[in-house]
Amino acid sequence: MVAGVRMRVRVSLPVPGSRTFPKQISVKRAGGFLVLESNFHLGCGKVRWERLLLCFGLLAAVGILSSCGSSTTATTPTITVSCTPTDVTLLGTSQCTASVINLSSTLVNWSVSGTGTGTITAGGLYTAPATIPNTTSNVVTITATSQVQSTLTATQSLTLLPPTAITNVTCVDTHLAVATKVSSGGQISCSATASTGALVPVNWSVSNKNNAGVTTNLGSISSQGIYTAALVPPPGQVVTITATSQAQATQTLTTTINVVFGNAALSGSYVFSTTGRLPTHAYWARTGSFSLGGGSLSGIEDINQGGTPNTVITQRSFTGSYSIGDDGRGTMQFCEGTSAACPLGSPATAYFNIAVFSTSQPSVNQAQMIEFSAPGSTSAPTIAGGEMLSQSQSVFSAGTANLSGTYSFDFSGITAAGTSQSNIGDFVANGHGSIAAGSTTPGTVAGEIDTNITGSAPSQAAIASTSYSVSANGRGTMVLNGLSFSFYPISAGRAKFIEIDTPSPSILQGDAYIQQNSSTCGWGVSALNGLAAYQTSGSSAAGVIGDLGSFTASSSGSTGTIGTASIDENNAGAVTSTVGTLTGSYMLDACGRGTLSVGSHNYVFYIISSSNAVLQETTSGVSAHGLLLPSQGGPFVDTTLTGSYAFRLAGTDAAGANANREDFVGQLMSAGTGTGLTGTLDLNDFGTTQASVGINGGSYPPPAAGIRETMMLPFGTTPPSTRNFVFYMVSPTLFYVLDTDTTGTALGVINKQF
């Protein structure tokens, strides 16, 4: 009988004293067990002995019937293999599984036939080789072998296919248009396709041939091919995006994208300042801060305007907008005295042209700026220039702690009579709103000020004890040496100041820098050491004067010496140059005030850090100020000037005391060969503006050893105007520059863009 079949057996037994068999026994066969119906009663114990044989016979019959189906049919172990997919591209994978039946273990060992035909894991994951191993066949065999019965095996054939060829890499912008460029912080989406148009699985990477192993300014690309540009273009302004086949690493295809500047290059909080003149020759200064992003801005400012009457405006709010072009040049406008939106192109109260430059931090950009005319106009109400510097967010919560330590400052401008004035010095802030009293006794207590007004003898005075405060908006106020200032911290190490007295006995503006010394009055003469470059500007009896210089400082004991010094000077169009032959000396007290002589030029300075100081020229008949910085990365060679640069210069013509002010800002490109300089500038010449003036064919001669170089820049076309300059290398990213033409004096900086 077959197991699991239900069986019924009916048996009739005679009942004692009866001729019939009224009782029935039902036997059911279910699942190999004997089941007796509930009405069954064998009754063997109640029958006579002659019937016992019949009972035992019946039991034997039932036993036989019960055993009918207890035997099993013998089964054979089997194994099968399945792999998905069965067509595998080189370096691709296929997952294999094995099914084992009628064995005590379903575990198998995996193998792949042949040498170099790929690999397979213990879990059955097959990885194809990088090349087809057999020139006559592209088929490999996967074998599964039972771990408990080695003779039990099964196989699966896989066909190796060459990877799908990448025939095109395409990048599109947010409008799904094919992208050839992307602006600061912008995104494009890239894909790799085969000749059929099908997407090819690839790995993405981005590089730049001009980076020479440096990975800054490249931006990033995701595994999905989304490229995000850096805020600053890379060297050469080009990135290479590479698609590498996931199936075959040797198969790649590239595309190049131009990375340019855009509005995202400037975002966050900034402190700015401009200084210059009005068309009436009245002095003009503004300092403030703003937040900007996405083309919009808002902020506060303080303005001090000379003339009659002297006008001082404090904490004036403004809104505005800005736009940055591909080359980093852009425009900006303020709508002052309002909180209403001020979109680009709407009427505004102040207009600027700017040039973006990068810092040592790739994510932080700054800008040079000049005041300019409104769109569609060539007449500007103000002729001034300055800078905007990225502001640390910590200044809004630090309060008076924004000033804590000893600060060297450089404030310059004019007196109420209109003569040039320079104030440099240092003060000690306790971080809690107090300025300590100073002394003029050398090296005892920090806190003194040197004043130089053209036509007067320079003077030195101690700083009186005073106080300062800082509001939640980041603007502070201070009384210093009897003058009232507002200031805008850039960070705990630097702040911009502007005088706000009404009426003003003077109009002063400038910066304060924290001294990089762990102890007050802990300086020694060796703080001025090595090669340094400096720049000063101011006035003389002849008119506006500007100097560039460099020297090598060394110290022995308490004295310092100056050697191999150079000075280029433009004094209202009178140009003199002495290169590498000047000598001099210097002294520095413990509190950071020093005196310096270079040739016939005399200076007072206050140290900031090693070979870094604010500087005031005290040569007879001259009132000038500036900054001394250590020169790094020299000597200058042709390739030092390679890439894109932002520049700004300010100066006057050669008309003496009534000289007309000019400011220009722009971008300069150099291939590092000494020739073929190109670029574009925007000019504000005493209120008459010219935008996008081309520079073409500029050059600099093969340099001599050192950090000094000359340059010629032709700009304009009807006919081109040629300007001659000398520049000193502070570092490969910063150069001081001086106009050496006899038509006037202009002084400024060149900053590396990328």
Side-chain angles (χ1 to χ4, degrees):
M1 297 181 66
V2 179
V5 177
R6 184 177 294 270
M7 179 182 65
R8 183 183 297 268
V9 178
R10 303 179 67 87
V11 180
S12 297
L13 296 177
V15 178
S18 174
R19 296 179 182 179
T20 62
F21 295 86
K23 298 289 185 179
Q24 293 183 344
I25 300 173
S26 296
V27 181
K28 295 181 179 180
R29 172 66 181 175
F33 295 95
L34 183 64
V35 179
L36 300 181
E37 298 271 349
S38 59
N39 63 348
F40 173 70
H41 182 70
L42 186 59
C44 288
K46 296 181 180 181
V47 299
R48 294 174 58 181
W49 68 268
E50 61 266 27
R51 294 178 182 170
L52 290 177
L53 292 176
L54 178 61
C55 287
F56 289 128
L58 177 60
L59 291 174
V62 171
I64 293 170
L65 292 173
S66 176
S67 66
C68 209
S70 63
S71 63
T72 59
T73 303
T75 57
T76 303
T78 61
I79 183 171
T80 58
V81 172
S82 175
C83 297
T84 303
T86 56
D87 291 337
V88 188
T89 58
L90 295 181
L91 294 178
T93 61
S94 177
Q95 180 62 59
C96 299
T97 57
S99 176
V100 178
I101 300 175
N102 296 327
L103 276 183
S104 59
S105 173
T106 60
L107 299 178
V108 300
N109 294 323
W110 293 98
S111 61
V112 55
S113 62
T115 302
T117 52
T119 61
I120 192 166
T121 68
L125 181 65
Y126 170 73
T127 302
T131 59
I132 295 176
N134 191 325
T135 57
T136 62
S137 174
N138 62 342
V139 176
V140 298
T141 301
I142 303 296
T143 301
T145 302
S146 169
Q147 291 188 1
V148 296
Q149 186 175 324
S150 60
T151 58
L152 186 64
T153 63
T155 62
Q156 169 74 65
S157 294
L158 300 180
T159 302
L160 300 183
L161 301 176
T164 303
I166 306 170
T167 60
N168 193 36
V169 172
T170 304
C171 298
V172 297
D173 59 22
T174 55
H175 303 291
L176 301 183
V178 174
T180 58
K181 70 178 182 180
V182 58
S183 61
S184 303
Q187 289 187 332
I188 55 176
S189 178
C190 302
S191 60
T193 55
S195 58
T196 61
L199 291 175
V200 179
V202 296
N203 295 319
W204 295 99
S205 61
V206 59
S207 60
N208 170 249
K209 67 178 181 180
N210 295 318
N211 263 84
V214 179
T215 58
T216 57
N217 295 8
L218 293 181
S220 61
I221 191 164
S222 71
S223 58
Q224 292 76 37
I226 306 298
Y227 172 70
T228 303
L231 298 181
V232 180
Q237 224 169 348
V238 174
V239 294
T240 299
I241 293 175
T242 301
T244 301
S245 170
Q246 292 181 1
Q248 187 172 23
T250 57
Q251 184 182 142
T252 64
L253 195 64
T254 65
T255 188
T256 57
I257 299 292
N258 290 327
V259 180
V260 299
F261 281 106
N263 285 356
L266 293 179
S267 62
S269 299
Y270 288 80
V271 173
F272 69 94
S273 63
T274 64
T275 184
R277 299 278 178 168
L278 302 178
T280 60
H281 291 94
Y283 197 78
W284 167 268
R286 78 162 88 220
T287 299
S289 65
F290 53 66
S291 296
L292 71 169
S296 298
L297 59 86
S298 62
I300 55 174
E301 65 181 352
D302 292 84
I303 291 176
N304 197 332
Q305 175 182 317
T308 305
N310 167 223
T311 302
V312 177
I313 302 172
T314 60
Q315 294 198 78
R316 181 164 67 181
S317 63
F318 60 88
T319 60
S321 52
Y322 67 98
S323 177
I324 309 299
D326 289 0
D327 62 358
R329 294 166 52 249
T331 60
M332 181 179 292
Q333 65 180 37
F334 293 172
C335 290
E336 295 158 312
T338 179
S339 59
C342 182
L344 203 66
S346 63
T349 54
Y351 298 89
F352 307 87
N353 279 23
I354 64 176
V356 176
F357 64 93
S358 60
T359 67
S360 58
Q361 306 174 60
S363 61
V364 177
N365 293 322
Q366 316 202 73
Q368 301 291 354
M369 58 194 302
I370 64 171
E371 308 229 7
F372 213 69
S373 58
S377 172
T378 58
S379 179
T382 308
I383 310 97
E387 62 185 358
M388 50 184 289
L389 305 177
S390 181
Q391 183 182 36
S392 171
Q393 288 297 304
S394 64
V395 304
F396 299 105
S397 59
T400 54
N402 279 302
L403 294 182
S404 181
T406 304
Y407 289 78
S408 297
F409 62 86
D410 173 16
F411 303 156
S412 63
I414 62 166
T415 66
T419 55
S420 179
Q421 178 173 336
S422 167
N423 291 89
I424 70 168
D426 60 16
F427 61 79
V428 180
N430 69 354
H432 300 288
S434 295
I435 303 294
S439 171
T440 57
T441 303
T444 57
V445 177
E448 51 193 318
I449 184 170
D450 283 82
T451 301
N452 188 353
I453 299 172
T454 304
S456 302
S459 63
Q460 179 188 3
I463 295 289
S465 176
T466 186
S467 62
Y468 67 96
S469 63
V470 181
S471 301
N473 61 9
R475 178 184 181 270
T477 57
M478 178 189 296
V479 175
L480 193 65
N481 200 39
L483 300 176
S484 298
F485 292 88
S486 69
F487 63 90
Y488 293 82
I490 298 167
S491 66
R494 184 177 177 184
K496 283 189 173 291
F497 283 69
I498 184 171
E499 186 183 349
I500 55 172
D501 289 300
T502 304
S504 294
S506 54
I507 303 177
L508 300 175
Q509 184 193 59
D511 294 75
Y513 309 85
I514 195 168
Q515 292 186 9
Q516 303 295 313
N517 196 314
S518 58
S519 60
T520 302
C521 294
W523 295 103
V525 70
S526 61
L528 195 60
N529 187 57
L531 183 62
Y534 67 92
Q535 179 188 75
T536 61
S537 62
S539 66
S540 68
V544 173
I545 187 172
D547 284 9
L548 294 186
S550 68
F551 58 77
T552 300
S554 59
S555 61
S556 177
S558 60
T559 61
T561 59
I562 297 296
T564 62
S566 301
I567 293 181
D568 286 88
E569 181 176 274
N570 189 331
N571 188 0
V575 179
T576 58
S577 298
T578 307
V579 181
T581 59
L582 298 176
T583 59
S585 62
Y586 67 94
M587 297 183 65
L588 179 66
D589 69 31
C591 292
R593 181 184 186 273
T595 57
L596 168 70
S597 65
V598 181
S600 60
H601 295 253
N602 299 309
Y603 306 89
V604 172
F605 66 93
Y606 286 82
I607 203 76
I608 299 170
S609 60
S610 180
S611 295
N612 178 198
V614 294
L615 197 65
Q616 180 185 91
E617 184 165 5
T618 57
T619 305
S620 178
V622 175
S623 174
H625 69 102
L627 194 63
L628 173 74
L629 290 170
S631 181
Q632 303 169 338
F636 180 88
V637 296
D638 279 349
T639 55
T640 302
L641 201 69
T642 301
S644 178
Y645 299 82
F647 64 89
R648 179 181 64 87
L649 285 90
T652 64
D653 59 27
N658 294 317
N660 293 327
R661 167 96 181 195
E662 68 174 354
D663 290 86
F664 49 99
V665 66
Q667 185 239 20
L668 186 69
M669 294 288 292
S670 172
T673 61
T675 60
L677 301 179
T678 60
T680 309
L681 64 85
D682 302 307
L683 172 67
N684 185 346
D685 186 4
F686 197 56
T688 300
T689 61
Q690 298 180 63
S692 301
V693 179
I695 301 171
N696 192 16
S699 62
Y700 52 94
I707 62 171
R708 179 186 181 275
E709 180 59 294
T710 60
M711 176 188 294
M712 180 274 293
L713 293 179
F715 57 86
T717 57
T718 55
S721 174
T722 299
R723 301 291 285 265
N724 296 286
F725 303 94
V726 61
F727 61 90
Y728 283 69
M729 175 183 173
V730 179
S731 73
T733 61
L734 173 64
F735 302 85
Y736 285 151
V737 58
L738 173 70
D739 185 352
T740 55
D741 291 299
T742 59
T743 54
T745 304
L747 196 71
V749 292
I750 298 175
N751 301 101
K752 185 72 176 284
Q753 281 188 312
F754 54 83

